[in-house]
């Protein structure tokens, strides 16, 4: 019963098979291999626009290298205060940007609206050179509390950002889940909505280790190969990553994987929400389910081998009050989650409920 | 006919099979997986001493993260002026160390001797805080001109370094080839000889993408998980690398791979050295062959699909004079090089010789 | 009528005279001059404990160099969200620390209490290596909203900080004003209260350009001369700064200067508070007066040559609501402020009041 | 008898008087004061071209901030291997540039010629992104071995640099001495010869603490106020430095000071060169005298209170061989050196000679 994280799942057989195929034989190194070049082309086709793509090994590297193209050391990037770049990437943003700062902002629902952004920038001191100069906005799609931005929300936000002189980065560690949830074209929530540079993750959606920085504004990609090299992200057998992306995109495989993960989350969410003493923290829109439950239940689940994570108490919606003995718990589904896992989990939950009654 | 680089070769079937096995099923992320833990243990057994190991995705990351543990931003690290860290890793050493400097030194033969080091440190200005403070020595085993340090050479050098207050790093991107060449215990050219921290590469010796930082002095590993994370090197599906190292080490597979590569280089070296108008630049001790040849021959080989690399004119031994129209060329063999490739290459060489005659 | 900032004031004649004296003749450079050495000794006497002192040229350099001794690049330092280091030093903290982060927190009154700190650290994610590791606390004495910490407040806060494993830095750009306001021993609000390292500014209190980093925990000073040098803060004619500190401290001159500035602020504060349509934003405890006033009044004062500054709307106490057309204005007094200036300012205010009536 | 360094000398009375004048009264802070603005204008007049100027507190800051405008973190700057930036500024260049590297080169005479540069760049590996990308050239005028570049030498060198795509920085810590020695217009050895950005020092030529970054190519100055601020170089009472430059330039005072220092060096050089057992290491062209002398003589001079410095053995001209017991000694004269000091020094030398005879 693995609901710990989609990055604990195994690798999709189709991706693994392609990786095995790519692993044999001679290929030029350092990004000049055929697989990487084909993957870049396929990404352009998938997004419906020419893109410049660089492959890296982790989401942290993808995010922070992308940020380095929109923030000089004296700049600041606005993001949500739950953002992965603000919370879970240690000091990597400062390292990769040479010292730029994040300005994390709180909002009611984990998303940033155009109005939120305008008000935040307005009230942030901006008397250069004393204050930092805000140069960018970074948003996560899916957000860190499992919500999905609508295309028009992103478009309004990016329009506002550009009007304020900011460039727009999207952390797309779970972009595939968002596309699947919205049943939209990938371009609708990225470049058509005003995203300048995207971190695109495949590792949480069936790949072994495959992350990309996708430039819709190709001018930002200037010198990027130097940034890649100096940060130790230029993999010699670069086919490793290119081949995974090829298989991930081929025939819409990424959407199959994401749709499955999302469907499993929906099912789990409905089952948990129907359970007395468990309540949803946030609506389930992609492949993450956030609930509030008694700590005793959480601990019993963990004791019986369920992988799930106690989450930040501060992550609940404004107005929601944790009751005594209540904790926030995150369940993540993946391409490999099964009905049987969900049934087994719910059996444990119901069994515990009966004991408690 | 691939003699371009050992990092262009494919992946050993045994390693690939283990990777496939590891790719399925649930595993904890971020280094807490079973494969990574087993690989660390196996490395300790291979080196004959307890080690603290961290897995990373590139040799540049391994080298520069290792350097960051022996050099504060105001420190300098002595290395050879052919060293990969000085020449081929762009500005990564400065990034990962927060600004430390390399002090590249020239020597007659691509190795640094204990006497070389003592003299170099002596003549380098050392009036702190104005001058940088030398804190480390980094050597490559195999060296960048294809030579192998003898255990006693390393021991004498490390003893000298320690006496001067320097810590010792070894760039072991081709350490397996050195061990195979010397037919020694891996400990003899590392910790027993005084190496404090080792960058150990498997990617050039049959793996897909597997690099490690191996701490013999475990005190240096303090805070290293934070360094790993902030530099974007903490891979979520960390089993990716751990599993490769397990297969690489299992049953001495790494030595089989390295011995084969070395043997192919010996054979190629002998054949080339016997060719009129071709002369060896350096003796062939591991899996790299450096020769001087007419540029016309080099270009014809390239035109006929031979992968090999024109090398720095400055890399020849002191006293060797390039003749007009002569270039330095590097041939690298790998675990997957074949007799047929060498024969085919030499046929081209001899055919060209006949034309030229 | 200069109430713009105490750093716009001229230089105390006694300090200037000493500087002139020091400027002639030969002195060793780079901190080895007699004046710097005497200043260090006098600072130890003033604080009543042996100290290690380094002189720098700006408050930003003093603060950020001090922070670099309590925060590694992967660490974070808690501070108030009004703190000078968080708001007014651009990205200098990241530069000098090699990438460490600030974690600015809001409080009701511009000070941080022991309870505030404990609660903030508790709710900040601390799952290393993913999250940053909090290693320090920085407070300003006087605070950025003009309040003065009581000795026991600092002691309780520092005790809490140390219990949490944090080191304590104090930004003492206006420390002299705090000492004068509290009529305490300088040691009572620094080392005796648990401060580990202090940025001590004289430039805002009568000096020309004189800032110091004062180490009460001398172990933190290790390698500090290297940090000074590499950040371009090792002044060749270091007597420049040492001599100013000597004169500043000599015979309690710093206290005379600070007491005068504080007294002028008290007087101005009382006069402004007695004015209809003007209200104090914060009590006046040192040499800064924060008021809310109609924007028309503010603009008229500025038009008539009064130097004062419109301040952040967000800087008012929790619960205070700005009325339409009301702005926050900061008046700063200095050692050179005069009764005449205050009278002239108040005449303008009253004149405007009459017009408005 | 102070020949230790021109930065150990006192301050010219005219400069000091102006500083005293500037120190009184109210002035806007952070570079917005009248003195700084006037100094910028006077510098433009002195150089005969509009310039953008920023004032900083040390030569290290001036040099390294200037370098940051011509070198991104992945770039390298060519300089002489005796250059102050390479030897005497610790790791400041890496800090201020965010990790750029220096590529120090040896030449026969301490200067870099156009041919030296072309050959050096040619033989330096330049396969991006693996190798660093050379983006700049930095030269010192006066050089670190006391020589003065002729205008046409600089012009040829800068033309070569520009042709190679490099920007040209000049370390002018002793530029005044060079101008005085050449009796040329300051523009002739700077912008007219192709220098893009200049570090101009007054501290070694009569000022207390006054350094400037002078942009001839004003496009390089973009964002420079942010660089200044974040590196802790934005002095609040900025008049401190502006006023010194005003007095330094006023009525050609800087040339008076420099001519005197140079004349004293000439005299000293001639006297030393005429002494048996002492020989000049380099011709004396500005205000530094480099000699080789018996170590016993050097030590006796030091014991009798003469300030002078034993210099790097490696700094002698190619072909010069130090004899046993011979050391290199540097004598520096300043605006305040006197005939009496030189006479007293030579009396000691001659007295020692007699004893030795």
């Amino acid at each position: 019963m693995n609901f710990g994280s989609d990055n604990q799942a195994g690798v999709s057989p189709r991706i693994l098979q392609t990786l095995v195929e790519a692993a044999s034989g001679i290929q030029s190194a350092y990004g000049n291999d055929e697989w990487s070049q084909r993957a870049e082309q396929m990404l352009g086709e998938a997004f419906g626009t020419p893109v410049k793509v660089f492959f890296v090994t982790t989401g942290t590297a993808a995010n922070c290298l992308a940020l380095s193209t929109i923030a000089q050391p004296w700049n600041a990037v606005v993001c949500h205060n739950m953002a992965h770049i603000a919370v879970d990437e240690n000091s990597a943003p400062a390292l990769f940007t040479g010292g730029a700062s994040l300005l994390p902002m709180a909002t009611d629902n984990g998303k940033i609206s155009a109005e939120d952004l305008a008000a935040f920038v307005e009230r942030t001191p901006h008397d250069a050179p004393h204050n930092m100069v805000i140069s960018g906005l970074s948003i996560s799609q899916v957000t860190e509390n499992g919500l999905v931005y609508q295309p028009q929300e992103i478009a309004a936000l990016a329009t506002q950002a550009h009007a304020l002189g900011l460039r727009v980065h999207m952390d797309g560690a779970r972009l595939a889940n968002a596309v699947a949830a919205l049943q939209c074209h990938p371009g609708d929530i990225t470049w058509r909505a005003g995203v300048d540079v995207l971190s695109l993750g495949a590792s949480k959606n069936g790949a072994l280790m495959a992350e990309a920085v996708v430039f819709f504004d190709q001018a930002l990609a200037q010198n990027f190969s130097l940034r890649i090299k100096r940060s130790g992200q230029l993999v010699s057998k670069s086919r490793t990553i290119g081949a995974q992306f090829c298989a991930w995109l081929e025939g819409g495989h990424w959407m199959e994987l994401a749709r499955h993960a999302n469907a499993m989350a929906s099912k789990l969410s409905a089952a948990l929400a129907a359970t007395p003493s468990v309540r949803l923290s946030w609506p389930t829109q992609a492949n993450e389910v956030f609930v509030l439950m008694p700590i005793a239940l959480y601990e019993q689940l963990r004791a019986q081998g369920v992988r799930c994570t106690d989450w930040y108490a501060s992550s609940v919606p404004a107005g929601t009050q944790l009751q005594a003995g209540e904790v926030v718990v995150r369940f993540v589904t993946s391409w490999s989650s099964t009905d049987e896992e969900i049934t087994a989990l719910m059996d444990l939950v119901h069994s515990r409920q009966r004991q408690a009654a």
Side-chain angles (χ1 to χ4, degrees), chain A:
Chain A
M1 287 166 290
N2 178 46
F3 303 100
S5 180
D6 33 13
N7 64 27
Q8 299 174 6
V11 179
S12 142
R14 278 173 55 180
I15 296 173
L16 194 53
Q17 183 177 343
T18 304
L19 185 56
V20 168
E21 181 188 342
S24 65
I26 304 303
Q27 282 286 342
S28 289
Y30 300 123
N32 300 315
D33 64 290
E34 293 164 10
W35 293 98
S36 296
Q37 287 163 9
R38 188 166 154 235
E40 182 179 57
Q41 190 185 342
M42 289 178 74
L43 281 164
E45 289 162 7
F47 282 95
T49 189
V51 290
K52 191 89 198 77
V53 178
F54 296 84
F55 298 107
V56 296
T57 61
T58 64
T60 294
N63 280 336
C64 296
L65 281 165
L67 292 179
S68 76
T69 69
I70 64 168
Q72 296 272 6
W74 46 80
N75 287 138
V77 174
V78 177
C79 62
H80 198 278
N81 70 3
M82 293 185 199
H84 200 267
I85 56 172
V87 176
D88 284 308
E89 301 188 354
N90 199 285
S91 52
L95 177 66
F96 284 80
T97 61
S101 295
L102 301 178
L103 292 178
M105 63 181 293
T107 65
D108 281 349
N109 67 349
K111 295 183 189 175
I112 299 173
S113 71
E115 294 70 32
D116 290 336
L117 176 66
F120 182 82
V121 169
E122 169 66 22
R123 74 172 176 265
T124 301
H126 39 267
D127 177 21
H130 303 279
N131 309 138
M132 288 174 285
V133 179
I134 301 177
S135 69
L137 165 74
S138 177
I139 57 172
S140 301
Q141 173 78 312
V142 180
T143 70
E144 277 76 14
N145 58 332
L147 302 187
V148 174
Y149 279 97
Q150 293 295 317
Q152 62 271 28
E153 290 176 319
I154 298 171
L157 177 55
T159 299
Q160 177 65 80
H162 291 157
L164 292 164
L166 318 187
R167 308 309 301 267
V168 180
H169 166 251
M170 177 174 280
D171 177 351
R174 292 189 179 95
L175 188 84
N177 301 94
V179 174
L182 293 166
Q183 298 182 280
C184 69
H185 187 281
D188 293 345
I189 53 172
T190 54
W191 65 277
R192 282 193 203 116
V195 172
D196 297 305
V197 56
L198 167 74
S199 305
L200 177 62
S203 306
K204 287 178 168 157
N205 189 39
L208 181 58
M209 189 206 68
E211 307 285 325
V213 181
V214 180
F215 288 98
F216 300 114
D217 179 347
Q218 300 194 28
L220 292 176
Q222 197 189 8
N223 288 323
F224 202 72
S225 64
L226 290 153
R227 293 187 187 275
I228 291 275
K229 174 66 191 177
R230 75 187 292 263
S231 61
Q233 289 290 334
L234 188 56
V235 175
S236 58
K237 295 187 183 171
S238 44
R239 61 178 111 169
T240 308
I241 308 179
Q244 292 180 67
F245 266 107
C246 288
W248 194 62
L249 294 167
E250 180 71 38
H253 187 46
W254 64 320
M255 285 301 108
E256 289 172 6
L257 297 165
R259 275 194 298 265
H260 178 80
N262 289 1
M264 290 290 104
S266 279
K267 186 170 176 179
L268 174 60
S269 178
L272 285 169
T275 305
S277 85
V278 177
R279 49 182 179 148
L280 289 181
S281 178
W282 296 99
T284 299
Q285 298 182 348
N287 68 321
E288 293 172 288
V289 182
F290 293 86
V291 299
L292 290 81
M293 64 167 57
I295 191 165
L297 174 56
Y298 168 69
E299 287 175 350
Q300 184 156 344
L301 294 178
R302 294 279 298 178
Q304 294 187 281
V306 176
R307 289 174 181 247
C308 57
T309 313
D310 59 326
W311 210 244
Y312 308 119
S314 60
S315 72
V316 298
T320 297
Q321 204 67 36
L322 263 74
Q323 296 169 7
E326 203 177 31
V327 290
V328 186
V329 182
R330 187 187 74 160
F331 296 82
V332 188
T333 56
S334 79
W335 73 274
S336 70
S337 297
T338 61
D339 283 335
E340 289 69 28
E341 279 182 301
I342 293 175
T343 301
L345 169 66
M346 292 313 300
D347 284 350
L348 285 177
V349 170
H350 296 145
S351 151
R352 166 74 197 173
Q353 295 290 120
R354 280 189 301 274
Q355 289 169 25

